[in-house]
PDB file of all heavy atoms in Angstrom:
ATOM      1  N   SER A   1     152.621 111.711  97.320  1.00 98.00           N
ATOM      2  CA  SER A   1     153.002 110.795  98.324  1.00 98.00           C
ATOM      3  C   SER A   1     152.973 109.354  97.889  1.00 98.00           C
ATOM      4  O   SER A   1     152.657 109.122  96.670  1.00 98.00           O
ATOM      5  CB  SER A   1     151.982 110.845  99.524  1.00 98.00           C
ATOM      6  OG  SER A   1     150.674 110.464  99.071  1.00 98.00           O
ATOM      7  N   ARG A   2     153.508 108.460  98.661  1.00 96.00           N
ATOM      8  CA  ARG A   2     153.529 107.068  98.193  1.00 96.00           C
ATOM      9  C   ARG A   2     153.372 106.140  99.530  1.00 96.00           C
ATOM     10  O   ARG A   2     153.664 106.488 100.520  1.00 96.00           O
ATOM     11  CB  ARG A   2     154.837 106.727  97.570  1.00 96.00           C
ATOM     12  CG  ARG A   2     156.122 106.854  98.333  1.00 96.00           C
ATOM     13  CD  ARG A   2     157.420 106.802  97.534  1.00 96.00           C
ATOM     14  NE  ARG A   2     157.398 105.505  96.774  1.00 96.00           N
ATOM     15  CZ  ARG A   2     158.095 105.379  95.626  1.00 96.00           C
ATOM     16  NH1 ARG A   2     158.652 106.397  95.056  1.00 96.00           N
ATOM     17  NH2 ARG A   2     158.085 104.215  95.015  1.00 96.00           N
ATOM     18  N   ASP A   3     152.986 104.933  99.067  1.00 95.00           N
ATOM     19  CA  ASP A   3     152.823 103.815 100.066  1.00 95.00           C
ATOM     20  C   ASP A   3     153.490 102.639  99.501  1.00 95.00           C
ATOM     21  O   ASP A   3     152.886 101.913  98.677  1.00 95.00           O
ATOM     22  CB  ASP A   3     151.312 103.535 100.359  1.00 95.00           C
ATOM     23  CG  ASP A   3     151.202 102.508 101.443  1.00 95.00           C
ATOM     24  OD1 ASP A   3     152.058 101.703 101.708  1.00 95.00           O
ATOM     25  OD2 ASP A   3     150.083 102.386 101.955  1.00 95.00           O
ATOM     26  N   ASN A   4     154.743 102.426  99.823  1.00 93.00           N
ATOM     27  CA  ASN A   4     155.547 101.204  99.234  1.00 93.00           C
ATOM     28  C   ASN A   4     154.955  99.906  99.553  1.00 93.00           C
ATOM     29  O   ASN A   4     155.120  98.907  98.721  1.00 93.00           O
ATOM     30  CB  ASN A   4     157.020 101.346  99.576  1.00 93.00           C
ATOM     31  CG  ASN A   4     157.676 102.495  98.926  1.00 93.00           C
ATOM     32  OD1 ASN A   4     157.261 102.982  97.915  1.00 93.00           O
ATOM     33  ND2 ASN A   4     158.769 102.987  99.569  1.00 93.00           N
ATOM     34  N   ALA A   5     154.291  99.703 100.723  1.00 92.00           N
ATOM     35  CA  ALA A   5     153.657  98.564 101.045  1.00 92.00           C
ATOM     36  C   ALA A   5     152.571  98.119 100.072  1.00 92.00           C
ATOM     37  O   ALA A   5     152.280  97.002  99.812  1.00 92.00           O
ATOM     38  CB  ALA A   5     153.220  98.585 102.461  1.00 92.00           C
ATOM     39  N   GLN A   6     151.949  99.184  99.496  1.00 93.00           N
ATOM     40  CA  GLN A   6     150.764  99.063  98.529  1.00 93.00           C
ATOM     41  C   GLN A   6     151.333  99.245  97.083  1.00 93.00           C
ATOM     42  O   GLN A   6     150.389  99.214  96.208  1.00 93.00           O
ATOM     43  CB  GLN A   6     149.646 100.063  98.879  1.00 93.00           C
ATOM     44  CG  GLN A   6     149.105  99.877 100.241  1.00 93.00           C
ATOM     45  CD  GLN A   6     148.359  98.533 100.365  1.00 93.00           C
ATOM     46  OE1 GLN A   6     147.737  98.069  99.460  1.00 93.00           O
ATOM     47  NE2 GLN A   6     148.474  97.935 101.539  1.00 93.00           N
ATOM     48  N   ASN A   7     152.583  99.533  96.862  1.00 94.00           N
ATOM     49  CA  ASN A   7     153.101  99.768  95.588  1.00 94.00           C
ATOM     50  C   ASN A   7     152.373 100.822  94.897  1.00 94.00           C
ATOM     51  O   ASN A   7     152.001 100.676  93.672  1.00 94.00           O
ATOM     52  CB  ASN A   7     153.049  98.478  94.781  1.00 94.00           C
ATOM     53  CG  ASN A   7     154.231  97.513  94.995  1.00 94.00           C
ATOM     54  OD1 ASN A   7     155.075  97.884  95.895  1.00 94.00           O
ATOM     55  ND2 ASN A   7     154.238  96.345  94.479  1.00 94.00           N
ATOM     56  N   THR A   8     151.962 101.913  95.562  1.00 96.00           N
ATOM     57  CA  THR A   8     151.170 102.894  95.039  1.00 96.00           C
ATOM     58  C   THR A   8     151.744 104.345  95.215  1.00 96.00           C
ATOM     59  O   THR A   8     152.250 104.623  96.378  1.00 96.00           O
ATOM     60  CB  THR A   8     149.766 102.813  95.547  1.00 96.00           C
ATOM     61  OG1 THR A   8     149.193 101.499  95.256  1.00 96.00           O
ATOM     62  CG2 THR A   8     148.834 103.879  94.879  1.00 96.00           C
ATOM     63  N   VAL A   9     151.640 105.197  94.263  1.00 97.00           N
ATOM     64  CA  VAL A   9     151.897 106.623  94.516  1.00 97.00           C
ATOM     65  C   VAL A   9     150.716 107.429  94.208  1.00 97.00           C
ATOM     66  O   VAL A   9     149.836 107.059  93.398  1.00 97.00           O
ATOM     67  CB  VAL A   9     152.992 107.040  93.412  1.00 97.00           C
ATOM     68  CG1 VAL A   9     153.267 108.515  93.452  1.00 97.00           C
ATOM     69  CG2 VAL A   9     154.258 106.308  93.609  1.00 97.00           C
ATOM     70  N   TYR A  10     150.553 108.414  95.009  1.00 98.00           N
ATOM     71  CA  TYR A  10     149.323 109.243  95.014  1.00 98.00           C
ATOM     72  C   TYR A  10     149.607 110.680  94.607  1.00 98.00           C
ATOM     73  O   TYR A  10     150.728 111.180  94.862  1.00 98.00           O
ATOM     74  CB  TYR A  10     148.681 109.269  96.407  1.00 98.00           C
ATOM     75  CG  TYR A  10     148.350 107.825  96.919  1.00 98.00           C
ATOM     76  CD1 TYR A  10     149.158 107.274  97.770  1.00 98.00           C
ATOM     77  CD2 TYR A  10     147.163 107.245  96.491  1.00 98.00           C
ATOM     78  CE1 TYR A  10     148.852 106.006  98.300  1.00 98.00           C
ATOM     79  CE2 TYR A  10     146.809 106.025  96.943  1.00 98.00           C
ATOM     80  CZ  TYR A  10     147.705 105.338  97.837  1.00 98.00           C
ATOM     81  OH  TYR A  10     147.442 104.103  98.343  1.00 98.00           O
ATOM     82  N   LEU A  11     148.608 111.350  94.082  1.00 98.00           N
ATOM     83  CA  LEU A  11     148.691 112.777  93.843  1.00 98.00           C
ATOM     84  C   LEU A  11     147.320 113.383  94.392  1.00 98.00           C
ATOM     85  O   LEU A  11     146.315 113.246  93.797  1.00 98.00           O
ATOM     86  CB  LEU A  11     148.868 113.191  92.315  1.00 98.00           C
ATOM     87  CG  LEU A  11     149.053 114.686  92.142  1.00 98.00           C
ATOM     88  CD1 LEU A  11     150.391 115.196  92.672  1.00 98.00           C
ATOM     89  CD2 LEU A  11     148.985 114.976  90.639  1.00 98.00           C
ATOM     90  N   GLN A  12     147.413 113.981  95.545  1.00 98.00           N
ATOM     91  CA  GLN A  12     146.257 114.688  96.079  1.00 98.00           C
ATOM     92  C   GLN A  12     146.201 116.086  95.436  1.00 98.00           C
ATOM     93  O   GLN A  12     147.103 116.906  95.584  1.00 98.00           O
ATOM     94  CB  GLN A  12     146.301 114.794  97.543  1.00 98.00           C
ATOM     95  CG  GLN A  12     145.167 115.467  98.280  1.00 98.00           C
ATOM     96  CD  GLN A  12     143.931 114.782  98.159  1.00 98.00           C
ATOM     97  OE1 GLN A  12     143.851 113.588  98.371  1.00 98.00           O
ATOM     98  NE2 GLN A  12     142.793 115.508  97.754  1.00 98.00           N
ATOM     99  N   MET A  13     145.089 116.333  94.838  1.00 98.00           N
ATOM    100  CA  MET A  13     144.851 117.674  94.147  1.00 98.00           C
ATOM    101  C   MET A  13     143.688 118.453  94.799  1.00 98.00           C
ATOM    102  O   MET A  13     142.526 117.960  94.795  1.00 98.00           O
ATOM    103  CB  MET A  13     144.553 117.316  92.670  1.00 98.00           C
ATOM    104  CG  MET A  13     145.651 116.577  92.014  1.00 98.00           C
ATOM    105  SD  MET A  13     145.476 116.438  90.247  1.00 98.00           S
ATOM    106  CE  MET A  13     143.870 115.590  90.193  1.00 98.00           C
ATOM    107  N   ASN A  14     144.022 119.527  95.364  1.00 98.00           N
ATOM    108  CA  ASN A  14     143.014 120.445  96.054  1.00 98.00           C
ATOM    109  C   ASN A  14     142.903 121.701  95.273  1.00 98.00           C
ATOM    110  O   ASN A  14     143.864 122.090  94.579  1.00 98.00           O
ATOM    111  CB  ASN A  14     143.309 120.646  97.494  1.00 98.00           C
ATOM    112  CG  ASN A  14     143.410 119.390  98.288  1.00 98.00           C
ATOM    113  OD1 ASN A  14     142.640 118.384  98.033  1.00 98.00           O
ATOM    114  ND2 ASN A  14     144.330 119.242  99.296  1.00 98.00           N
ATOM    115  N   SER A  15     141.889 122.431  95.582  1.00 98.00           N
ATOM    116  CA  SER A  15     141.614 123.782  94.927  1.00 98.00           C
ATOM    117  C   SER A  15     141.872 123.745  93.424  1.00 98.00           C
ATOM    118  O   SER A  15     142.675 124.575  92.918  1.00 98.00           O
ATOM    119  CB  SER A  15     142.637 124.843  95.631  1.00 98.00           C
ATOM    120  OG  SER A  15     142.438 124.905  97.008  1.00 98.00           O
ATOM    121  N   LEU A  16     141.271 122.762  92.845  1.00 98.00           N
ATOM    122  CA  LEU A  16     141.542 122.602  91.343  1.00 98.00           C
ATOM    123  C   LEU A  16     141.023 123.800  90.671  1.00 98.00           C
ATOM    124  O   LEU A  16     140.051 124.476  90.950  1.00 98.00           O
ATOM    125  CB  LEU A  16     140.885 121.321  90.888  1.00 98.00           C
ATOM    126  CG  LEU A  16     141.615 120.060  91.235  1.00 98.00           C
ATOM    127  CD1 LEU A  16     140.758 118.820  91.211  1.00 98.00           C
ATOM    128  CD2 LEU A  16     142.869 119.894  90.337  1.00 98.00           C
ATOM    129  N   ARG A  17     141.738 124.068  89.496  1.00 98.00           N
ATOM    130  CA  ARG A  17     141.360 125.224  88.608  1.00 98.00           C
ATOM    131  C   ARG A  17     141.126 124.665  87.180  1.00 98.00           C
ATOM    132  O   ARG A  17     141.678 123.643  86.842  1.00 98.00           O
ATOM    133  CB  ARG A  17     142.554 126.105  88.539  1.00 98.00           C
ATOM    134  CG  ARG A  17     142.971 126.714  89.934  1.00 98.00           C
ATOM    135  CD  ARG A  17     144.363 127.363  89.864  1.00 98.00           C
ATOM    136  NE  ARG A  17     144.714 127.996  91.167  1.00 98.00           N
ATOM    137  CZ  ARG A  17     145.997 128.336  91.387  1.00 98.00           C
ATOM    138  NH1 ARG A  17     146.831 128.401  90.369  1.00 98.00           N
ATOM    139  NH2 ARG A  17     146.270 128.844  92.527  1.00 98.00           N
ATOM    140  N   PRO A  18     140.486 125.363  86.346  1.00 97.00           N
ATOM    141  CA  PRO A  18     140.229 124.940  85.021  1.00 97.00           C
ATOM    142  C   PRO A  18     141.574 124.632  84.246  1.00 97.00           C
ATOM    143  O   PRO A  18     141.586 123.783  83.396  1.00 97.00           O
ATOM    144  CB  PRO A  18     139.475 126.069  84.322  1.00 97.00           C
ATOM    145  CG  PRO A  18     138.664 126.652  85.444  1.00 97.00           C
ATOM    146  CD  PRO A  18     139.642 126.574  86.626  1.00 97.00           C
ATOM    147  N   GLU A  19     142.626 125.457  84.587  1.00 97.00           N
ATOM    148  CA  GLU A  19     143.890 125.199  83.911  1.00 97.00           C
ATOM    149  C   GLU A  19     144.573 123.976  84.301  1.00 97.00           C
ATOM    150  O   GLU A  19     145.671 123.642  83.762  1.00 97.00           O
ATOM    151  CB  GLU A  19     144.807 126.467  84.154  1.00 97.00           C
ATOM    152  CG  GLU A  19     144.974 126.806  85.578  1.00 97.00           C
ATOM    153  CD  GLU A  19     144.100 128.015  85.959  1.00 97.00           C
ATOM    154  OE1 GLU A  19     142.918 127.967  85.565  1.00 97.00           O
ATOM    155  OE2 GLU A  19     144.529 128.843  86.784  1.00 97.00           O
ATOM    156  N   ASP A  20     144.032 123.234  85.278  1.00 98.00           N
ATOM    157  CA  ASP A  20     144.629 121.954  85.732  1.00 98.00           C
ATOM    158  C   ASP A  20     144.041 120.857  84.776  1.00 98.00           C
ATOM    159  O   ASP A  20     144.532 119.627  84.909  1.00 98.00           O
ATOM    160  CB  ASP A  20     144.291 121.597  87.151  1.00 98.00           C
ATOM    161  CG  ASP A  20     144.913 122.573  88.122  1.00 98.00           C
ATOM    162  OD1 ASP A  20     146.088 122.934  87.933  1.00 98.00           O
ATOM    163  OD2 ASP A  20     144.217 122.978  89.080  1.00 98.00           O
ATOM    164  N   THR A  21     143.174 121.137  83.969  1.00 98.00           N
ATOM    165  CA  THR A  21     142.539 120.174  83.072  1.00 98.00           C
ATOM    166  C   THR A  21     143.717 119.600  82.136  1.00 98.00           C
ATOM    167  O   THR A  21     144.386 120.329  81.437  1.00 98.00           O
ATOM    168  CB  THR A  21     141.424 120.766  82.146  1.00 98.00           C
ATOM    169  OG1 THR A  21     140.432 121.161  83.008  1.00 98.00           O
ATOM    170  CG2 THR A  21     140.989 119.810  81.150  1.00 98.00           C
ATOM    171  N   ALA A  22     143.812 118.252  82.129  1.00 98.00           N
ATOM    172  CA  ALA A  22     144.811 117.636  81.375  1.00 98.00           C
ATOM    173  C   ALA A  22     144.744 116.126  81.582  1.00 98.00           C
ATOM    174  O   ALA A  22     143.990 115.646  82.439  1.00 98.00           O
ATOM    175  CB  ALA A  22     146.191 118.044  81.856  1.00 98.00           C
ATOM    176  N   VAL A  23     145.472 115.398  80.762  1.00 98.00           N
ATOM    177  CA  VAL A  23     145.754 113.987  81.060  1.00 98.00           C
ATOM    178  C   VAL A  23     146.936 113.874  81.992  1.00 98.00           C
ATOM    179  O   VAL A  23     148.013 114.438  81.693  1.00 98.00           O
ATOM    180  CB  VAL A  23     145.961 113.193  79.760  1.00 98.00           C
ATOM    181  CG1 VAL A  23     146.248 111.706  80.079  1.00 98.00           C
ATOM    182  CG2 VAL A  23     144.798 113.293  78.840  1.00 98.00           C
ATOM    183  N   TYR A  24     146.787 113.204  83.076  1.00 98.00           N
ATOM    184  CA  TYR A  24     147.812 113.017  84.106  1.00 98.00           C
ATOM    185  C   TYR A  24     148.435 111.690  83.886  1.00 98.00           C
ATOM    186  O   TYR A  24     147.818 110.695  83.917  1.00 98.00           O
ATOM    187  CB  TYR A  24     147.255 113.266  85.474  1.00 98.00           C
ATOM    188  CG  TYR A  24     146.965 114.647  85.786  1.00 98.00           C
ATOM    189  CD1 TYR A  24     145.980 115.372  85.255  1.00 98.00           C
ATOM    190  CD2 TYR A  24     147.791 115.410  86.749  1.00 98.00           C
ATOM    191  CE1 TYR A  24     145.726 116.759  85.419  1.00 98.00           C
ATOM    192  CE2 TYR A  24     147.573 116.724  86.987  1.00 98.00           C
ATOM    193  CZ  TYR A  24     146.543 117.414  86.312  1.00 98.00           C
ATOM    194  OH  TYR A  24     146.282 118.750  86.562  1.00 98.00           O
ATOM    195  N   TYR A  25     149.826 111.699  83.915  1.00 98.00           N
ATOM    196  CA  TYR A  25     150.621 110.473  83.686  1.00 98.00           C
ATOM    197  C   TYR A  25     151.501 110.221  84.923  1.00 98.00           C
ATOM    198  O   TYR A  25     152.142 111.162  85.473  1.00 98.00           O
ATOM    199  CB  TYR A  25     151.471 110.601  82.485  1.00 98.00           C
ATOM    200  CG  TYR A  25     150.739 110.744  81.200  1.00 98.00           C
ATOM    201  CD1 TYR A  25     150.475 112.020  80.730  1.00 98.00           C
ATOM    202  CD2 TYR A  25     150.387 109.687  80.437  1.00 98.00           C
ATOM    203  CE1 TYR A  25     149.793 112.102  79.469  1.00 98.00           C
ATOM    204  CE2 TYR A  25     149.680 109.787  79.258  1.00 98.00           C
ATOM    205  CZ  TYR A  25     149.442 111.061  78.732  1.00 98.00           C
ATOM    206  OH  TYR A  25     148.780 111.176  77.593  1.00 98.00           O
ATOM    207  N   CYS A  26     151.621 109.024  85.250  1.00 98.00           N
ATOM    208  CA  CYS A  26     152.447 108.534  86.295  1.00 98.00           C
ATOM    209  C   CYS A  26     153.780 108.022  85.631  1.00 98.00           C
ATOM    210  O   CYS A  26     153.621 107.291  84.575  1.00 98.00           O
ATOM    211  CB  CYS A  26     151.827 107.457  87.246  1.00 98.00           C
ATOM    212  SG  CYS A  26     152.855 106.759  88.504  1.00 98.00           S
ATOM    213  N   ALA A  27     154.915 108.211  86.276  1.00 97.00           N
ATOM    214  CA  ALA A  27     156.142 107.646  85.691  1.00 97.00           C
ATOM    215  C   ALA A  27     157.001 107.185  86.834  1.00 97.00           C
ATOM    216  O   ALA A  27     156.923 107.630  87.983  1.00 97.00           O
ATOM    217  CB  ALA A  27     156.848 108.825  84.941  1.00 97.00           C
ATOM    218  N   ALA A  28     158.005 106.290  86.505  1.00 96.00           N
ATOM    219  CA  ALA A  28     158.837 105.726  87.606  1.00 96.00           C
ATOM    220  C   ALA A  28     160.152 105.365  86.863  1.00 96.00           C
ATOM    221  O   ALA A  28     160.310 105.005  85.658  1.00 96.00           O
ATOM    222  CB  ALA A  28     158.189 104.439  88.176  1.00 96.00           C
ATOM    223  N   SER A  29     161.239 105.354  87.683  1.00 93.00           N
ATOM    224  CA  SER A  29     162.554 104.894  87.293  1.00 93.00           C
ATOM    225  C   SER A  29     163.311 104.341  88.469  1.00 93.00           C
ATOM    226  O   SER A  29     163.139 104.868  89.584  1.00 93.00           O
ATOM    227  CB  SER A  29     163.307 105.981  86.610  1.00 93.00           C
ATOM    228  OG  SER A  29     163.549 106.985  87.508  1.00 93.00           O
ATOM    229  N   PHE A  30     164.124 103.310  88.299  1.00 90.00           N
ATOM    230  CA  PHE A  30     164.985 102.749  89.304  1.00 90.00           C
ATOM    231  C   PHE A  30     166.019 103.814  89.802  1.00 90.00           C
ATOM    232  O   PHE A  30     166.563 104.404  88.908  1.00 90.00           O
ATOM    233  CB  PHE A  30     165.561 101.460  88.928  1.00 90.00           C
ATOM    234  CG  PHE A  30     166.581 100.943  89.893  1.00 90.00           C
ATOM    235  CD1 PHE A  30     166.224 100.396  91.074  1.00 90.00           C
ATOM    236  CD2 PHE A  30     167.942 101.171  89.673  1.00 90.00           C
ATOM    237  CE1 PHE A  30     167.096  99.938  92.035  1.00 90.00           C
ATOM    238  CE2 PHE A  30     168.894 100.778  90.630  1.00 90.00           C
ATOM    239  CZ  PHE A  30     168.474 100.107  91.757  1.00 90.00           C
ATOM    240  N   GLN A  31     166.118 103.959  91.027  1.00 84.00           N
ATOM    241  CA  GLN A  31     167.159 104.816  91.537  1.00 84.00           C
ATOM    242  C   GLN A  31     167.929 104.154  92.669  1.00 84.00           C
ATOM    243  O   GLN A  31     167.335 103.636  93.569  1.00 84.00           O
ATOM    244  CB  GLN A  31     166.519 106.084  92.088  1.00 84.00           C
ATOM    245  CG  GLN A  31     165.792 107.029  91.045  1.00 84.00           C
ATOM    246  CD  GLN A  31     166.908 107.570  90.051  1.00 84.00           C
ATOM    247  OE1 GLN A  31     168.102 107.646  90.367  1.00 84.00           O
ATOM    248  NE2 GLN A  31     166.383 108.115  88.973  1.00 84.00           N
ATOM    249  N   PRO A  32     169.311 104.136  92.621  1.00 84.00           N
ATOM    250  CA  PRO A  32     170.097 103.484  93.667  1.00 84.00           C
ATOM    251  C   PRO A  32     170.150 104.274  94.937  1.00 84.00           C
ATOM    252  O   PRO A  32     170.402 103.735  95.954  1.00 84.00           O
ATOM    253  CB  PRO A  32     171.459 103.331  93.006  1.00 84.00           C
ATOM    254  CG  PRO A  32     171.425 104.341  91.987  1.00 84.00           C
ATOM    255  CD  PRO A  32     170.102 104.534  91.453  1.00 84.00           C
ATOM    256  N   ILE A  33     169.826 105.526  94.869  1.00 83.00           N
ATOM    257  CA  ILE A  33     169.897 106.403  95.959  1.00 83.00           C
ATOM    258  C   ILE A  33     168.480 106.792  96.393  1.00 83.00           C
ATOM    259  O   ILE A  33     167.670 107.176  95.635  1.00 83.00           O
ATOM    260  CB  ILE A  33     170.674 107.680  95.678  1.00 83.00           C
ATOM    261  CG1 ILE A  33     172.125 107.423  95.230  1.00 83.00           C
ATOM    262  CG2 ILE A  33     170.714 108.667  96.962  1.00 83.00           C
ATOM    263  CD1 ILE A  33     172.948 108.454  94.818  1.00 83.00           C
ATOM    264  N   SER A  34     168.230 106.626  97.783  1.00 84.00           N
ATOM    265  CA  SER A  34     166.808 106.721  98.221  1.00 84.00           C
ATOM    266  C   SER A  34     166.184 108.037  98.142  1.00 84.00           C
ATOM    267  O   SER A  34     165.024 108.187  98.171  1.00 84.00           O
ATOM    268  CB  SER A  34     166.816 106.170  99.647  1.00 84.00           C
ATOM    269  OG  SER A  34     167.541 107.052 100.470  1.00 84.00           O
ATOM    270  N   THR A  35     167.082 109.096  97.979  1.00 86.00           N
ATOM    271  CA  THR A  35     166.530 110.455  98.026  1.00 86.00           C
ATOM    272  C   THR A  35     166.471 111.061  96.700  1.00 86.00           C
ATOM    273  O   THR A  35     166.076 112.278  96.524  1.00 86.00           O
ATOM    274  CB  THR A  35     167.390 111.321  99.006  1.00 86.00           C
ATOM    275  OG1 THR A  35     168.799 111.285  98.459  1.00 86.00           O
ATOM    276  CG2 THR A  35     167.384 110.829 100.405  1.00 86.00           C
ATOM    277  N   THR A  36     166.964 110.379  95.642  1.00 90.00           N
ATOM    278  CA  THR A  36     166.885 110.996  94.295  1.00 90.00           C
ATOM    279  C   THR A  36     165.482 111.221  93.793  1.00 90.00           C
ATOM    280  O   THR A  36     164.607 110.403  93.775  1.00 90.00           O
ATOM    281  CB  THR A  36     167.644 110.037  93.359  1.00 90.00           C
ATOM    282  OG1 THR A  36     168.974 109.895  93.796  1.00 90.00           O
ATOM    283  CG2 THR A  36     167.710 110.682  91.927  1.00 90.00           C
ATOM    284  N   ILE A  37     165.306 112.441  93.170  1.00 93.00           N
ATOM    285  CA  ILE A  37     164.064 112.703  92.466  1.00 93.00           C
ATOM    286  C   ILE A  37     164.486 113.447  91.126  1.00 93.00           C
ATOM    287  O   ILE A  37     165.689 113.872  91.016  1.00 93.00           O
ATOM    288  CB  ILE A  37     163.045 113.616  93.226  1.00 93.00           C
ATOM    289  CG1 ILE A  37     163.782 115.002  93.528  1.00 93.00           C
ATOM    290  CG2 ILE A  37     162.518 112.934  94.454  1.00 93.00           C
ATOM    291  CD1 ILE A  37     162.780 115.988  94.109  1.00 93.00           C
ATOM    292  N   SER A  38     163.577 113.513  90.210  1.00 93.00           N
ATOM    293  CA  SER A  38     163.827 114.157  88.918  1.00 93.00           C
ATOM    294  C   SER A  38     162.580 114.829  88.387  1.00 93.00           C
ATOM    295  O   SER A  38     161.466 114.315  88.551  1.00 93.00           O
ATOM    296  CB  SER A  38     164.335 113.188  87.840  1.00 93.00           C
ATOM    297  OG  SER A  38     164.529 113.804  86.619  1.00 93.00           O
TER     298      SER A  38
END
């Protein structure tokens, strides 16, 4: 999810498993179209 007023993106992680162990990275890119994801 995201809160653009706070310039923040979130990742809520529930029911975590040992295989979720990792370094988690956030990434961003400018997109001219509001619905584009990659």
Side-chain angles (χ1 to χ4, degrees):
S1 63
R2 67 189 299 152
D3 183 341
N4 286 338
Q6 298 295 323
N7 281 355
T8 303
V9 175
Y10 303 98
L11 185 67
Q12 178 66 45
M13 305 187 297
N14 299 327
S15 302
L16 283 160
R17 304 168 180 168
E19 53 264 39
D20 294 319
T21 294
V23 177
Y24 283 70
Y25 297 92
C26 176
S29 64
F30 171 75
Q31 293 293 343
I33 300 173
S34 65
T35 56
T36 300
I37 60 171
S38 177

